[in-house]
Amino acid sequence: MKNIVILHSDVKESAGEDELDCLKQAEVIGEAVSVLGHLPINLPFVMDLNANISRLSSLKPDIVFNLVETLAGRGSMIYFATALLDYLRLPYTGCRTDAMYLTSNKPLAKKILSANGINTPPWITADGAVYGKAHGGGTYILKASWEEASVGMDDESIIQTQDPKTLNDALQVRQNKLGLDCFAEAYIDGREFNIALLASEGGIRILPPAEILFEDYPPDKLKVLDYRAKWVTDSFEYDKTRRSLEMAPADAGLVDRLMEIGGRCWNLFGLRGYARVDFRIDGQGVPWVLEINANPCLSPDAGFAAALDYAGIKYSEAIDDILRDALNP
């Protein structure tokens, strides 16, 4: 039996559903850890780093299951947890500090993708720098540079313009409103997919891709997986957005391509344990990587668990794989 510390974000009761979900993950992972015959110990990762060091040192965990997504409610400090675990030389699940930083910083991840020949939608940063070829549609999504779970994405984050100054002004307003660094990403009109990846003793497992279906969306509403679609259960977006793992025979080539790109992303960023890659597919069938999530949601109702189930992998078996991978050099 091993002592498994489940390290999670320090979430306040007043936090949004996206942050509270971290506690749900901790609970279900704790249950899986118990099924595997180990002792789960939940521990919040707090702003006082010395307090974290003291608590972890006293607990002497065999493995830390890292679920930290935010520190002080900000995704920009997500890598503090792994950096501290590196300092303590404790084995932990998931991606290492360099991969966590590179993938969580979305504009930086997009630079790396683009430099390595992996399509990612064109984007513009707050300082006016333009990356990628111009996108003729003139529709952009203003996104937080660091936050996960579609934080800050709503109808107001969508802007349609061909004028660089108008776009930059809107980006500045958005940053000020959210209090977060943001960038503008060209909207790719088409289908949306994600693909989950899992480490195992036999090597990386690339799980079946899932398509996000936007049902009954009016013509003037962009099909975007925003915050409401993910977290606001009484919203139109949540009700009309669903996941499908059933792929038509005509999509066999696309599935192969998504799996190939997912594997490339795993190797390119040095991902570990488990991860997810999000895609849009344009009208010509070309995949575009939206982002790479180095510690995707493991809640039982989330996409990762759905992909495991579809692949015939028990949830506890996947947790065991993730724990075993944490002990690899």
Side-chain angles (χ1 to χ4, degrees), residues 286-323:
V286 177
W288 299 78
V289 174
L290 297 179
E291 63 181 79
I292 298 158
N293 194 324
N295 64 340
C297 180
L298 293 175
S299 291
D301 58 349
F304 203 100
L308 289 172
D309 183 64
Y310 192 81
I313 302 170
K314 290 183 179 179
Y315 187 86
S316 59
E317 291 176 359
I319 298 301
D320 192 37
D321 282 338
I322 293 168
L323 290 170

PDB file of all heavy atoms in Angstrom, residues 286-323:
ATOM      1  N   VAL A 286      -9.073  20.106 -42.915  1.00  0.00           N
ATOM      2  CA  VAL A 286      -7.741  20.296 -42.316  1.00  0.00           C
ATOM      3  C   VAL A 286      -7.871  20.476 -40.807  1.00  0.00           C
ATOM      4  O   VAL A 286      -8.628  21.343 -40.347  1.00  0.00           O
ATOM      5  CB  VAL A 286      -7.037  21.528 -42.927  1.00  0.00           C
ATOM      6  CG1 VAL A 286      -5.688  21.768 -42.237  1.00  0.00           C
ATOM      7  CG2 VAL A 286      -6.848  21.330 -44.428  1.00  0.00           C
ATOM      8  N   PRO A 287      -7.145  19.682 -39.996  1.00  0.00           N
ATOM      9  CA  PRO A 287      -7.183  19.854 -38.537  1.00  0.00           C
ATOM     10  C   PRO A 287      -6.313  21.025 -38.087  1.00  0.00           C
ATOM     11  O   PRO A 287      -5.208  21.228 -38.592  1.00  0.00           O
ATOM     12  CB  PRO A 287      -6.621  18.538 -38.002  1.00  0.00           C
ATOM     13  CG  PRO A 287      -6.575  17.592 -39.172  1.00  0.00           C
ATOM     14  CD  PRO A 287      -6.423  18.463 -40.376  1.00  0.00           C
ATOM     15  N   TRP A 288      -6.823  21.780 -37.118  1.00  0.00           N
ATOM     16  CA  TRP A 288      -6.105  22.888 -36.499  1.00  0.00           C
ATOM     17  C   TRP A 288      -6.107  22.653 -34.985  1.00  0.00           C
ATOM     18  O   TRP A 288      -7.166  22.478 -34.393  1.00  0.00           O
ATOM     19  CB  TRP A 288      -6.791  24.220 -36.802  1.00  0.00           C
ATOM     20  CG  TRP A 288      -6.860  24.555 -38.263  1.00  0.00           C
ATOM     21  CD1 TRP A 288      -7.725  24.041 -39.190  1.00  0.00           C
ATOM     22  CD2 TRP A 288      -6.037  25.492 -38.965  1.00  0.00           C
ATOM     23  NE1 TRP A 288      -7.494  24.596 -40.433  1.00  0.00           N
ATOM     24  CE2 TRP A 288      -6.455  25.493 -40.326  1.00  0.00           C
ATOM     25  CE3 TRP A 288      -4.985  26.324 -38.586  1.00  0.00           C
ATOM     26  CZ2 TRP A 288      -5.859  26.277 -41.292  1.00  0.00           C
ATOM     27  CZ3 TRP A 288      -4.381  27.120 -39.553  1.00  0.00           C
ATOM     28  CH2 TRP A 288      -4.822  27.096 -40.889  1.00  0.00           C
ATOM     29  N   VAL A 289      -4.936  22.642 -34.379  1.00  0.00           N
ATOM     30  CA  VAL A 289      -4.852  22.438 -32.934  1.00  0.00           C
ATOM     31  C   VAL A 289      -5.191  23.738 -32.219  1.00  0.00           C
ATOM     32  O   VAL A 289      -4.534  24.764 -32.424  1.00  0.00           O
ATOM     33  CB  VAL A 289      -3.453  21.954 -32.517  1.00  0.00           C
ATOM     34  CG1 VAL A 289      -3.354  21.883 -30.986  1.00  0.00           C
ATOM     35  CG2 VAL A 289      -3.157  20.593 -33.125  1.00  0.00           C
ATOM     36  N   LEU A 290      -6.221  23.705 -31.385  1.00  0.00           N
ATOM     37  CA  LEU A 290      -6.597  24.873 -30.597  1.00  0.00           C
ATOM     38  C   LEU A 290      -5.697  25.013 -29.374  1.00  0.00           C
ATOM     39  O   LEU A 290      -5.191  26.093 -29.092  1.00  0.00           O
ATOM     40  CB  LEU A 290      -8.056  24.780 -30.156  1.00  0.00           C
ATOM     41  CG  LEU A 290      -9.117  24.759 -31.256  1.00  0.00           C
ATOM     42  CD1 LEU A 290     -10.504  24.632 -30.632  1.00  0.00           C
ATOM     43  CD2 LEU A 290      -9.030  26.023 -32.107  1.00  0.00           C
ATOM     44  N   GLU A 291      -5.543  23.913 -28.638  1.00  0.00           N
ATOM     45  CA  GLU A 291      -4.691  23.962 -27.458  1.00  0.00           C
ATOM     46  C   GLU A 291      -4.379  22.558 -26.981  1.00  0.00           C
ATOM     47  O   GLU A 291      -4.999  21.579 -27.404  1.00  0.00           O
ATOM     48  CB  GLU A 291      -5.337  24.760 -26.335  1.00  0.00           C
ATOM     49  CG  GLU A 291      -6.618  24.182 -25.797  1.00  0.00           C
ATOM     50  CD  GLU A 291      -7.203  25.056 -24.686  1.00  0.00           C
ATOM     51  OE1 GLU A 291      -7.823  26.084 -24.995  1.00  0.00           O
ATOM     52  OE2 GLU A 291      -7.023  24.677 -23.514  1.00  0.00           O
ATOM     53  N   ILE A 292      -3.423  22.486 -26.075  1.00  0.00           N
ATOM     54  CA  ILE A 292      -3.023  21.232 -25.454  1.00  0.00           C
ATOM     55  C   ILE A 292      -3.233  21.381 -23.957  1.00  0.00           C
ATOM     56  O   ILE A 292      -2.741  22.337 -23.350  1.00  0.00           O
ATOM     57  CB  ILE A 292      -1.551  20.917 -25.759  1.00  0.00           C
ATOM     58  CG1 ILE A 292      -1.364  20.747 -27.270  1.00  0.00           C
ATOM     59  CG2 ILE A 292      -1.101  19.664 -25.022  1.00  0.00           C
ATOM     60  CD1 ILE A 292       0.039  20.945 -27.735  1.00  0.00           C
ATOM     61  N   ASN A 293      -3.967  20.468 -23.375  1.00  0.00           N
ATOM     62  CA  ASN A 293      -4.245  20.516 -21.941  1.00  0.00           C
ATOM     63  C   ASN A 293      -3.405  19.447 -21.257  1.00  0.00           C
ATOM     64  O   ASN A 293      -3.617  18.259 -21.455  1.00  0.00           O
ATOM     65  CB  ASN A 293      -5.733  20.283 -21.675  1.00  0.00           C
ATOM     66  CG  ASN A 293      -6.126  20.646 -20.263  1.00  0.00           C
ATOM     67  OD1 ASN A 293      -5.364  20.440 -19.321  1.00  0.00           O
ATOM     68  ND2 ASN A 293      -7.322  21.187 -20.106  1.00  0.00           N
ATOM     69  N   ALA A 294      -2.451  19.898 -20.434  1.00  0.00           N
ATOM     70  CA  ALA A 294      -1.501  18.986 -19.804  1.00  0.00           C
ATOM     71  C   ALA A 294      -2.063  18.304 -18.566  1.00  0.00           C
ATOM     72  O   ALA A 294      -1.469  17.340 -18.076  1.00  0.00           O
ATOM     73  CB  ALA A 294      -0.216  19.738 -19.440  1.00  0.00           C
ATOM     74  N   ASN A 295      -3.153  18.788 -18.020  1.00  0.00           N
ATOM     75  CA  ASN A 295      -3.834  18.071 -16.933  1.00  0.00           C
ATOM     76  C   ASN A 295      -5.341  18.224 -17.093  1.00  0.00           C
ATOM     77  O   ASN A 295      -6.000  18.928 -16.345  1.00  0.00           O
ATOM     78  CB  ASN A 295      -3.345  18.537 -15.548  1.00  0.00           C
ATOM     79  CG  ASN A 295      -3.668  19.986 -15.268  1.00  0.00           C
ATOM     80  OD1 ASN A 295      -3.912  20.767 -16.194  1.00  0.00           O
ATOM     81  ND2 ASN A 295      -3.693  20.358 -14.000  1.00  0.00           N
ATOM     82  N   PRO A 296      -5.896  17.534 -18.093  1.00  0.00           N
ATOM     83  CA  PRO A 296      -7.325  17.661 -18.378  1.00  0.00           C
ATOM     84  C   PRO A 296      -8.190  17.121 -17.250  1.00  0.00           C
ATOM     85  O   PRO A 296      -7.734  16.348 -16.401  1.00  0.00           O
ATOM     86  CB  PRO A 296      -7.499  16.826 -19.650  1.00  0.00           C
ATOM     87  CG  PRO A 296      -6.404  15.825 -19.584  1.00  0.00           C
ATOM     88  CD  PRO A 296      -5.251  16.548 -18.963  1.00  0.00           C
ATOM     89  N   CYS A 297      -9.441  17.522 -17.255  1.00  0.00           N
ATOM     90  CA  CYS A 297     -10.388  17.118 -16.217  1.00  0.00           C
ATOM     91  C   CYS A 297     -10.567  15.604 -16.200  1.00  0.00           C
ATOM     92  O   CYS A 297     -10.763  14.973 -17.243  1.00  0.00           O
ATOM     93  CB  CYS A 297     -11.727  17.807 -16.458  1.00  0.00           C
ATOM     94  SG  CYS A 297     -12.987  17.392 -15.239  1.00  0.00           S
ATOM     95  N   LEU A 298     -10.506  15.026 -15.003  1.00  0.00           N
ATOM     96  CA  LEU A 298     -10.684  13.588 -14.825  1.00  0.00           C
ATOM     97  C   LEU A 298     -11.997  13.247 -14.119  1.00  0.00           C
ATOM     98  O   LEU A 298     -12.171  12.127 -13.631  1.00  0.00           O
ATOM     99  CB  LEU A 298      -9.508  13.007 -14.034  1.00  0.00           C
ATOM    100  CG  LEU A 298      -8.151  13.044 -14.743  1.00  0.00           C
ATOM    101  CD1 LEU A 298      -7.052  12.550 -13.809  1.00  0.00           C
ATOM    102  CD2 LEU A 298      -8.170  12.214 -16.021  1.00  0.00           C
ATOM    103  N   SER A 299     -12.921  14.209 -14.052  1.00  0.00           N
ATOM    104  CA  SER A 299     -14.224  13.929 -13.462  1.00  0.00           C
ATOM    105  C   SER A 299     -14.927  12.822 -14.251  1.00  0.00           C
ATOM    106  O   SER A 299     -14.721  12.690 -15.464  1.00  0.00           O
ATOM    107  CB  SER A 299     -15.099  15.188 -13.456  1.00  0.00           C
ATOM    108  OG  SER A 299     -14.595  16.140 -12.543  1.00  0.00           O
ATOM    109  N   PRO A 300     -15.771  12.037 -13.599  1.00  0.00           N
ATOM    110  CA  PRO A 300     -16.415  10.908 -14.286  1.00  0.00           C
ATOM    111  C   PRO A 300     -17.338  11.316 -15.421  1.00  0.00           C
ATOM    112  O   PRO A 300     -17.636  10.494 -16.293  1.00  0.00           O
ATOM    113  CB  PRO A 300     -17.176  10.196 -13.168  1.00  0.00           C
ATOM    114  CG  PRO A 300     -17.295  11.187 -12.064  1.00  0.00           C
ATOM    115  CD  PRO A 300     -16.093  12.070 -12.162  1.00  0.00           C
ATOM    116  N   ASP A 301     -17.810  12.561 -15.425  1.00  0.00           N
ATOM    117  CA  ASP A 301     -18.694  13.007 -16.497  1.00  0.00           C
ATOM    118  C   ASP A 301     -17.955  13.821 -17.559  1.00  0.00           C
ATOM    119  O   ASP A 301     -18.578  14.386 -18.459  1.00  0.00           O
ATOM    120  CB  ASP A 301     -19.850  13.839 -15.932  1.00  0.00           C
ATOM    121  CG  ASP A 301     -19.370  15.066 -15.157  1.00  0.00           C
ATOM    122  OD1 ASP A 301     -18.159  15.162 -14.874  1.00  0.00           O
ATOM    123  OD2 ASP A 301     -20.218  15.928 -14.842  1.00  0.00           O
ATOM    124  N   ALA A 302     -16.632  13.877 -17.483  1.00  0.00           N
ATOM    125  CA  ALA A 302     -15.840  14.662 -18.432  1.00  0.00           C
ATOM    126  C   ALA A 302     -15.412  13.799 -19.623  1.00  0.00           C
ATOM    127  O   ALA A 302     -15.570  12.575 -19.634  1.00  0.00           O
ATOM    128  CB  ALA A 302     -14.620  15.248 -17.735  1.00  0.00           C
ATOM    129  N   GLY A 303     -14.828  14.461 -20.611  1.00  0.00           N
ATOM    130  CA  GLY A 303     -14.474  13.788 -21.849  1.00  0.00           C
ATOM    131  C   GLY A 303     -13.437  12.699 -21.701  1.00  0.00           C
ATOM    132  O   GLY A 303     -13.485  11.677 -22.401  1.00  0.00           O
ATOM    133  N   PHE A 304     -12.469  12.891 -20.806  1.00  0.00           N
ATOM    134  CA  PHE A 304     -11.416  11.897 -20.647  1.00  0.00           C
ATOM    135  C   PHE A 304     -12.007  10.571 -20.165  1.00  0.00           C
ATOM    136  O   PHE A 304     -11.707   9.506 -20.702  1.00  0.00           O
ATOM    137  CB  PHE A 304     -10.348  12.394 -19.676  1.00  0.00           C
ATOM    138  CG  PHE A 304      -9.007  11.732 -19.848  1.00  0.00           C
ATOM    139  CD1 PHE A 304      -7.991  12.359 -20.544  1.00  0.00           C
ATOM    140  CD2 PHE A 304      -8.764  10.467 -19.336  1.00  0.00           C
ATOM    141  CE1 PHE A 304      -6.759  11.744 -20.724  1.00  0.00           C
ATOM    142  CE2 PHE A 304      -7.543   9.842 -19.509  1.00  0.00           C
ATOM    143  CZ  PHE A 304      -6.533  10.482 -20.204  1.00  0.00           C
ATOM    144  N   ALA A 305     -12.865  10.641 -19.140  1.00  0.00           N
ATOM    145  CA  ALA A 305     -13.490   9.431 -18.619  1.00  0.00           C
ATOM    146  C   ALA A 305     -14.378   8.779 -19.674  1.00  0.00           C
ATOM    147  O   ALA A 305     -14.445   7.542 -19.762  1.00  0.00           O
ATOM    148  CB  ALA A 305     -14.300   9.763 -17.368  1.00  0.00           C
ATOM    149  N   ALA A 306     -15.058   9.594 -20.482  1.00  0.00           N
ATOM    150  CA  ALA A 306     -15.911   9.048 -21.545  1.00  0.00           C
ATOM    151  C   ALA A 306     -15.075   8.295 -22.577  1.00  0.00           C
ATOM    152  O   ALA A 306     -15.478   7.227 -23.056  1.00  0.00           O
ATOM    153  CB  ALA A 306     -16.690  10.167 -22.213  1.00  0.00           C
ATOM    154  N   ALA A 307     -13.899   8.840 -22.917  1.00  0.00           N
ATOM    155  CA  ALA A 307     -13.016   8.173 -23.878  1.00  0.00           C
ATOM    156  C   ALA A 307     -12.479   6.866 -23.311  1.00  0.00           C
ATOM    157  O   ALA A 307     -12.354   5.869 -24.031  1.00  0.00           O
ATOM    158  CB  ALA A 307     -11.868   9.097 -24.261  1.00  0.00           C
ATOM    159  N   LEU A 308     -12.161   6.857 -22.019  1.00  0.00           N
ATOM    160  CA  LEU A 308     -11.713   5.616 -21.370  1.00  0.00           C
ATOM    161  C   LEU A 308     -12.801   4.547 -21.462  1.00  0.00           C
ATOM    162  O   LEU A 308     -12.525   3.398 -21.827  1.00  0.00           O
ATOM    163  CB  LEU A 308     -11.381   5.881 -19.901  1.00  0.00           C
ATOM    164  CG  LEU A 308     -10.123   6.694 -19.588  1.00  0.00           C
ATOM    165  CD1 LEU A 308     -10.066   7.019 -18.097  1.00  0.00           C
ATOM    166  CD2 LEU A 308      -8.864   5.933 -20.009  1.00  0.00           C
ATOM    167  N   ASP A 309     -14.004   4.942 -21.133  1.00  0.00           N
ATOM    168  CA  ASP A 309     -15.117   3.996 -21.148  1.00  0.00           C
ATOM    169  C   ASP A 309     -15.345   3.448 -22.553  1.00  0.00           C
ATOM    170  O   ASP A 309     -15.552   2.245 -22.743  1.00  0.00           O
ATOM    171  CB  ASP A 309     -16.379   4.689 -20.625  1.00  0.00           C
ATOM    172  CG  ASP A 309     -17.571   3.738 -20.547  1.00  0.00           C
ATOM    173  OD1 ASP A 309     -17.507   2.783 -19.760  1.00  0.00           O
ATOM    174  OD2 ASP A 309     -18.556   3.967 -21.267  1.00  0.00           O
ATOM    175  N   TYR A 310     -15.283   4.326 -23.545  1.00  0.00           N
ATOM    176  CA  TYR A 310     -15.511   3.910 -24.930  1.00  0.00           C
ATOM    177  C   TYR A 310     -14.411   2.949 -25.392  1.00  0.00           C
ATOM    178  O   TYR A 310     -14.666   2.040 -26.188  1.00  0.00           O
ATOM    179  CB  TYR A 310     -15.560   5.133 -25.841  1.00  0.00           C
ATOM    180  CG  TYR A 310     -16.078   4.852 -27.225  1.00  0.00           C
ATOM    181  CD1 TYR A 310     -17.445   4.758 -27.475  1.00  0.00           C
ATOM    182  CD2 TYR A 310     -15.196   4.683 -28.287  1.00  0.00           C
ATOM    183  CE1 TYR A 310     -17.920   4.488 -28.748  1.00  0.00           C
ATOM    184  CE2 TYR A 310     -15.661   4.416 -29.563  1.00  0.00           C
ATOM    185  CZ  TYR A 310     -17.025   4.326 -29.800  1.00  0.00           C
ATOM    186  OH  TYR A 310     -17.492   4.045 -31.069  1.00  0.00           O
ATOM    187  N   ALA A 311     -13.189   3.155 -24.867  1.00  0.00           N
ATOM    188  CA  ALA A 311     -12.061   2.297 -25.235  1.00  0.00           C
ATOM    189  C   ALA A 311     -12.017   1.007 -24.423  1.00  0.00           C
ATOM    190  O   ALA A 311     -11.139   0.161 -24.634  1.00  0.00           O
ATOM    191  CB  ALA A 311     -10.750   3.062 -25.059  1.00  0.00           C
ATOM    192  N   GLY A 312     -12.955   0.855 -23.467  1.00  0.00           N
ATOM    193  CA  GLY A 312     -12.989  -0.344 -22.657  1.00  0.00           C
ATOM    194  C   GLY A 312     -11.953  -0.378 -21.550  1.00  0.00           C
ATOM    195  O   GLY A 312     -11.548  -1.458 -21.092  1.00  0.00           O
ATOM    196  N   ILE A 313     -11.521   0.797 -21.101  1.00  0.00           N
ATOM    197  CA  ILE A 313     -10.523   0.899 -20.034  1.00  0.00           C
ATOM    198  C   ILE A 313     -11.223   1.342 -18.755  1.00  0.00           C
ATOM    199  O   ILE A 313     -11.864   2.392 -18.728  1.00  0.00           O
ATOM    200  CB  ILE A 313      -9.420   1.912 -20.403  1.00  0.00           C
ATOM    201  CG1 ILE A 313      -8.734   1.514 -21.708  1.00  0.00           C
ATOM    202  CG2 ILE A 313      -8.390   2.022 -19.268  1.00  0.00           C
ATOM    203  CD1 ILE A 313      -7.810   2.584 -22.263  1.00  0.00           C
ATOM    204  N   LYS A 314     -11.114   0.557 -17.691  1.00  0.00           N
ATOM    205  CA  LYS A 314     -11.716   0.925 -16.421  1.00  0.00           C
ATOM    206  C   LYS A 314     -11.040   2.183 -15.867  1.00  0.00           C
ATOM    207  O   LYS A 314      -9.836   2.370 -16.025  1.00  0.00           O
ATOM    208  CB  LYS A 314     -11.584  -0.211 -15.408  1.00  0.00           C
ATOM    209  CG  LYS A 314     -12.433  -1.428 -15.720  1.00  0.00           C
ATOM    210  CD  LYS A 314     -12.295  -2.467 -14.630  1.00  0.00           C
ATOM    211  CE  LYS A 314     -13.162  -3.689 -14.905  1.00  0.00           C
ATOM    212  NZ  LYS A 314     -13.010  -4.719 -13.848  1.00  0.00           N
ATOM    213  N   TYR A 315     -11.846   3.003 -15.225  1.00  0.00           N
ATOM    214  CA  TYR A 315     -11.322   4.259 -14.660  1.00  0.00           C
ATOM    215  C   TYR A 315     -10.177   3.970 -13.689  1.00  0.00           C
ATOM    216  O   TYR A 315      -9.132   4.619 -13.740  1.00  0.00           O
ATOM    217  CB  TYR A 315     -12.449   5.009 -13.956  1.00  0.00           C
ATOM    218  CG  TYR A 315     -12.079   6.399 -13.482  1.00  0.00           C
ATOM    219  CD1 TYR A 315     -12.171   7.497 -14.332  1.00  0.00           C
ATOM    220  CD2 TYR A 315     -11.641   6.609 -12.184  1.00  0.00           C
ATOM    221  CE1 TYR A 315     -11.849   8.763 -13.904  1.00  0.00           C
ATOM    222  CE2 TYR A 315     -11.312   7.878 -11.735  1.00  0.00           C
ATOM    223  CZ  TYR A 315     -11.417   8.954 -12.606  1.00  0.00           C
ATOM    224  OH  TYR A 315     -11.079  10.216 -12.169  1.00  0.00           O
ATOM    225  N   SER A 316     -10.342   2.987 -12.808  1.00  0.00           N
ATOM    226  CA  SER A 316      -9.302   2.674 -11.827  1.00  0.00           C
ATOM    227  C   SER A 316      -8.028   2.173 -12.510  1.00  0.00           C
ATOM    228  O   SER A 316      -6.915   2.440 -12.035  1.00  0.00           O
ATOM    229  CB  SER A 316      -9.804   1.631 -10.825  1.00  0.00           C
ATOM    230  OG  SER A 316     -10.195   0.437 -11.475  1.00  0.00           O
ATOM    231  N   GLU A 317      -8.179   1.479 -13.646  1.00  0.00           N
ATOM    232  CA  GLU A 317      -7.002   1.020 -14.387  1.00  0.00           C
ATOM    233  C   GLU A 317      -6.223   2.204 -14.951  1.00  0.00           C
ATOM    234  O   GLU A 317      -4.983   2.204 -14.951  1.00  0.00           O
ATOM    235  CB  GLU A 317      -7.427   0.085 -15.523  1.00  0.00           C
ATOM    236  CG  GLU A 317      -7.963  -1.253 -15.055  1.00  0.00           C
ATOM    237  CD  GLU A 317      -8.448  -2.104 -16.210  1.00  0.00           C
ATOM    238  OE1 GLU A 317      -8.390  -1.637 -17.369  1.00  0.00           O
ATOM    239  OE2 GLU A 317      -8.906  -3.237 -15.962  1.00  0.00           O
ATOM    240  N   ALA A 318      -6.943   3.208 -15.446  1.00  0.00           N
ATOM    241  CA  ALA A 318      -6.278   4.398 -15.969  1.00  0.00           C
ATOM    242  C   ALA A 318      -5.552   5.147 -14.855  1.00  0.00           C
ATOM    243  O   ALA A 318      -4.414   5.618 -15.049  1.00  0.00           O
ATOM    244  CB  ALA A 318      -7.300   5.313 -16.645  1.00  0.00           C
ATOM    245  N   ILE A 319      -6.181   5.262 -13.692  1.00  0.00           N
ATOM    246  CA  ILE A 319      -5.527   5.915 -12.558  1.00  0.00           C
ATOM    247  C   ILE A 319      -4.270   5.149 -12.166  1.00  0.00           C
ATOM    248  O   ILE A 319      -3.225   5.734 -11.850  1.00  0.00           O
ATOM    249  CB  ILE A 319      -6.497   6.032 -11.364  1.00  0.00           C
ATOM    250  CG1 ILE A 319      -7.697   6.909 -11.738  1.00  0.00           C
ATOM    251  CG2 ILE A 319      -5.785   6.590 -10.135  1.00  0.00           C
ATOM    252  CD1 ILE A 319      -7.349   8.319 -12.166  1.00  0.00           C
ATOM    253  N   ASP A 320      -4.338   3.812 -12.215  1.00  0.00           N
ATOM    254  CA  ASP A 320      -3.176   2.989 -11.911  1.00  0.00           C
ATOM    255  C   ASP A 320      -2.059   3.264 -12.924  1.00  0.00           C
ATOM    256  O   ASP A 320      -0.878   3.377 -12.556  1.00  0.00           O
ATOM    257  CB  ASP A 320      -3.566   1.511 -11.932  1.00  0.00           C
ATOM    258  CG  ASP A 320      -2.488   0.617 -11.354  1.00  0.00           C
ATOM    259  OD1 ASP A 320      -1.818   1.014 -10.376  1.00  0.00           O
ATOM    260  OD2 ASP A 320      -2.283  -0.496 -11.893  1.00  0.00           O
ATOM    261  N   ASP A 321      -2.403   3.358 -14.207  1.00  0.00           N
ATOM    262  CA  ASP A 321      -1.409   3.671 -15.237  1.00  0.00           C
ATOM    263  C   ASP A 321      -0.749   5.020 -14.959  1.00  0.00           C
ATOM    264  O   ASP A 321       0.479   5.178 -15.111  1.00  0.00           O
ATOM    265  CB  ASP A 321      -2.050   3.686 -16.625  1.00  0.00           C
ATOM    266  CG  ASP A 321      -2.294   2.292 -17.183  1.00  0.00           C
ATOM    267  OD1 ASP A 321      -1.623   1.340 -16.731  1.00  0.00           O
ATOM    268  OD2 ASP A 321      -3.160   2.157 -18.071  1.00  0.00           O
ATOM    269  N   ILE A 322      -1.557   5.990 -14.596  1.00  0.00           N
ATOM    270  CA  ILE A 322      -1.041   7.341 -14.318  1.00  0.00           C
ATOM    271  C   ILE A 322      -0.105   7.325 -13.111  1.00  0.00           C
ATOM    272  O   ILE A 322       0.953   7.960 -13.112  1.00  0.00           O
ATOM    273  CB  ILE A 322      -2.213   8.327 -14.110  1.00  0.00           C
ATOM    274  CG1 ILE A 322      -2.990   8.504 -15.425  1.00  0.00           C
ATOM    275  CG2 ILE A 322      -1.706   9.671 -13.617  1.00  0.00           C
ATOM    276  CD1 ILE A 322      -4.314   9.226 -15.262  1.00  0.00           C
ATOM    277  N   LEU A 323      -0.475   6.582 -12.084  1.00  0.00           N
ATOM    278  CA  LEU A 323       0.378   6.469 -10.894  1.00  0.00           C
ATOM    279  C   LEU A 323       1.688   5.751 -11.235  1.00  0.00           C
ATOM    280  O   LEU A 323       2.771   6.178 -10.786  1.00  0.00           O
ATOM    281  CB  LEU A 323      -0.353   5.705  -9.794  1.00  0.00           C
ATOM    282  CG  LEU A 323      -1.525   6.435  -9.131  1.00  0.00           C
ATOM    283  CD1 LEU A 323      -2.306   5.475  -8.231  1.00  0.00           C
ATOM    284  CD2 LEU A 323      -1.047   7.647  -8.334  1.00  0.00           C
TER     285      LEU A 323
END
